[in-house]
């Protein structure tokens, strides 16, 4: 396991993480590290526990084992800022919410219904620019395409500046051009901020193209390592051969 | 009070404003309608039209329980029961054991039936039928004061929770990841709705209170382009329809609540056409 820490911001260590719901073991003894500036993909079949793993890392569901965050000096940080980009979701498209309203509302308690939203405040404009979507500020949330909405969700996750970025299948159902724009923004963030990124994805082609490291899980951690190694592994072939995946 | 009355006389150049009951009614409407317009925006966003209807109906059981337990002020028993019902419905809804529609339907019909049974014991129901259509002209200075305090308190709490409610209404998972306690915020919201609905029922009536919560917001939504526009328009529509409805009802001698709602319906129709023309 490589432990060198490029920017020295932090390292995420997940050790012996298990999730049990009722009598069912959803995740069993998962351990891995994520280094700064790396994009780590989590892949696996439906029901493998990928989203559950993210939820456990976010601290939203009960789990055994430990998720810890290490600073560059080796000290354990008790809490870090995590940015979270949810799966494509459905919401009420006719609701009159502008992108800037939504982002402002997620950053301050000053009610946007009374005071409106102002893109120059609360880093709204900067975040949108970082997510490659500066032009979307005045649009209505319901008028966005799938790819645009996910870039807005990315912008949402960038304030306060996260020390770890978690993406939960951000692009299922988004067209190819939309995907590329999204990943370009992620690449920029990784390069400029050395942000560690962890992402669940079904799109193996995109994982192969962008992820440094990959975790293949099916309740257990089947294989982890460099993406090319994982894709060449026997476990990978066994998991995805029925899908007929070709690179 | 006299200063306010003078103020009203200057601003509303109708001869009916010289009657004290009309001044009070007007003040009542000026307190109630912005509240309903404000809370309505989120009630419509979260598709809660049926929910607030059920809250209105629960007033019957609230009154009935007040009679049974000898509570003098029926407002207290109504509010207590409506708040309880709102919290229970929200709880059952979030457990996702049954569809929200079904859950609300069950509670709504049960609370009407229970209320009617208790209130009709010995054929006394007619003395409660005033609650069905309400009577804004019977409002007293104390009632206005209560509404005013409620307006201030609800507006402050609303301001504090609005952004969180907005995030929850877009995506609950996202709200959770940002550390928002969505259960708490939703509970605060439904308690506010319960409080405002019950406080207005005596003046607007059980049958119509829900329309006054939903119609202004639904109209504003048709033509709004931002969160602020949405709320400002909703409050303005509620206020203007409220005042127009009250004055009209005096001249043509009709129920004030119903006349106000008819104005709201017209505004809804107009905004609906405006939206579809775009």
């Amino acid at each position: 396991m490589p432990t060198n820490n490029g920017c020295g911001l932090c390292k995420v260590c997940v050790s012996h993480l298990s999730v049990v719901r009722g009598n069912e073991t959803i995740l069993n003894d998962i351990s891995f590290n994520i280094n700064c500036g790396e994009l780590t993909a989590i892949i696996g079949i439906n029901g493998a526990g990928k989203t559950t793993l993210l939820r456990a890392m976010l601290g939203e569901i009960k789990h055994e084992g430990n998720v810890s965050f290490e600073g560059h000096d080796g000290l354990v940080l008790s809490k870090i800022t995590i940015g979270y980009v949810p799966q494509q979701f459905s919401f009420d498209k006719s609701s009159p919410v502008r992108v800037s309203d939504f982002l402002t509302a997620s950053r301050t308690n000053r009610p946007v219904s009374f005071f409106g939203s102002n893109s120059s405040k609360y880093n709204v404009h900067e975040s949108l620019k970082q997510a490659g979507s500066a032009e979307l500020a005045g649009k209505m949330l319901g008028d966005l395409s799938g790819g645009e909405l996910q870039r807005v969700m990315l912008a949402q996750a960038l304030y306060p500046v996260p020390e770890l970025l978690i993406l939960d299948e951000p692009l299922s159902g988004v067209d190819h051009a939309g995907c590329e724009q999204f990943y370009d923004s992620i690449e920029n963030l990784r390069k400029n901020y050395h942000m560690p990124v962890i992402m669940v994805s079904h799109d193996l082609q995109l994982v192969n193209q962008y992820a440094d490291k990959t975790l293949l899980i099916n309740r257990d951690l089947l294989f982890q390592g460099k993406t090319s190694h994982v894709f060449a592994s026997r476990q990978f072939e066994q998991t995805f051969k029925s899908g007929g995946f070709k690179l | 009070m006299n200063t306010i009355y003078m103020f009203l006389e200057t601003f509303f150049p109708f001869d009916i404003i010289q009657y004290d009951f009309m001044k009070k009614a007007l003040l009542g409407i000026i307190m109630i309608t912005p509240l309903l317009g404000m809370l309505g925006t989120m009630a419509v966003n979260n598709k809660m039209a049926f929910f607030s209807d059920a809250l209105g109906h629960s007033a019957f059981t609230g009154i009935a329980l007040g009679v049974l337990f000898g509570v003098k002020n029926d407002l207290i028993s109504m509010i207590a029961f409506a708040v309880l019902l709102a919290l229970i419905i929200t709880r059952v809804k979030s457990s996702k054991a049954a569809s929200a529609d079904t859950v609300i339907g069950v509670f709504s019909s049960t609370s009407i039936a229970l209320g009617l049974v208790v209130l009709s014991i010995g054929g006394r129901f007619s003395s409660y039928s005033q609650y069905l259509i309400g009577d804004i002209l019977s409002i007293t200075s104390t009632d206005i004061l209560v509404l005013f305090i409620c307006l201030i308190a609800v507006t402050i709490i609303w301001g504090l929770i609005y952004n969180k409610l907005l995030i929850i209404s877009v995506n609950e998972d996202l709200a959770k990841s940002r550390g928002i306690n969505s259960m708490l915020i939703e509970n605060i919201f439904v308690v506010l709705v319960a409080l405002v609905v019950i406080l207005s029922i005596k003046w607007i009536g059980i049958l119509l209170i829900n329309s006054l919560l939903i119609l202004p917001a639904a109209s504003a939504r048709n033509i709004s382009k931002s969160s602020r526009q949405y709320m400002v328009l909703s409050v303005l529509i509620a206020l203007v329809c409220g005042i127009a409805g009250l004055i009209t009802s005096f001249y043509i001698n009709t129920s004030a609540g119903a006349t106000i709602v008819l104005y709201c319906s017209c505004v809804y129709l107009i905004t609906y056409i405006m939206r579809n023309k775009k």
Side-chain angles (χ1 to χ4, degrees), chain A residues 55 60 84 86 89 91-92 94-96 98 101-102 105-106 108-115 140 156 159, chain B residues 38 45 47 155 158-159 162-164 166-167 170-171 173-174 176-178 221 224-228 230-231:
Chain A
R55 289 270 153 80
E60 281 177 16
Y84 171 74
F89 56 89
F91 65 102
D92 187 353
S94 58
S95 180
R98 276 192 303 191
D101 288 336
F102 171 75
S106 71
T108 168
N109 281 329
R110 205 179 129 99
V112 292
S113 56
F114 296 164
F115 301 107
M140 303 264 276
Q156 164 275 136
Y159 184 89
Chain B
M38 193 165 71
N45 267 7
K47 303 193 167 52
T155 308
W158 181 242
Y162 184 84
N163 284 1
K164 296 188 173 82
L166 183 69
I167 302 296
V170 172
N171 186 323
D173 283 340
L174 187 74
K176 275 187 199 152
S177 84
R178 297 201 74 99
R221 201 179 145 101
S224 306
K225 290 272 163 243
S226 75
S227 296
R228 180 162 61 174
Y230 182 26
M231 203 178 80

Side-chain angles (χ1 to χ4, degrees), chain A residues 167-238:
Chain A
L167 317 172
D168 185 4
E169 281 190 59
L171 298 170
S172 50
V174 173
D175 60 46
H176 193 71
C179 285
E180 293 215 323
Q181 263 183 312
F182 186 84
Y183 279 107
D184 286 346
S185 310
I186 296 282
E187 287 292 294
N188 277 334
L189 289 168
R190 285 207 293 146
K191 289 204 181 101
N192 300 333
Y193 297 86
H194 295 277
M195 214 175 267
V197 183
I198 183 160
M199 166 182 80
V200 162
S201 181
H202 266 127
D203 192 330
L204 297 174
Q205 214 118 30
L206 284 168
V207 168
N208 194 34
Q209 197 178 339
Y210 290 100
D212 304 304
K213 271 173 45 179
T214 297
L215 312 173
L216 173 62
I217 66 168
N218 189 6
R219 302 195 177 209
D220 294 294
L221 181 56
L222 301 179
F223 202 91
Q224 65 168 322
K226 272 190 162 171
T227 300
S228 55
H229 293 173
V230 173
F231 276 54
S233 69
R234 181 174 50 81
Q235 288 88 340
F236 180 87
E237 205 192 314
Q238 280 172 352

Side-chain angles (χ1 to χ4, degrees), chain B residues 239-264:
Chain B
L239 196 60
V240 169
C241 290
I243 295 170
L246 178 68
I247 292 169
T248 311
S249 73
F250 181 85
Y251 283 115
I252 61 174
N253 199 15
T254 50
S255 143
T259 318
I260 294 170
V261 169
L262 276 185
Y263 270 104
C264 292

Side-chain angles (χ1 to χ4, degrees), chain B residues 217-237:
Chain B
S219 314
R221 201 179 145 101
N222 279 339
I223 49 173
S224 306
K225 290 272 163 243
S226 75
S227 296
R228 180 162 61 174
Q229 244 183 33
Y230 182 26
M231 203 178 80
V232 169
L233 280 175
S234 178
V235 168
L236 279 181
I237 291 170

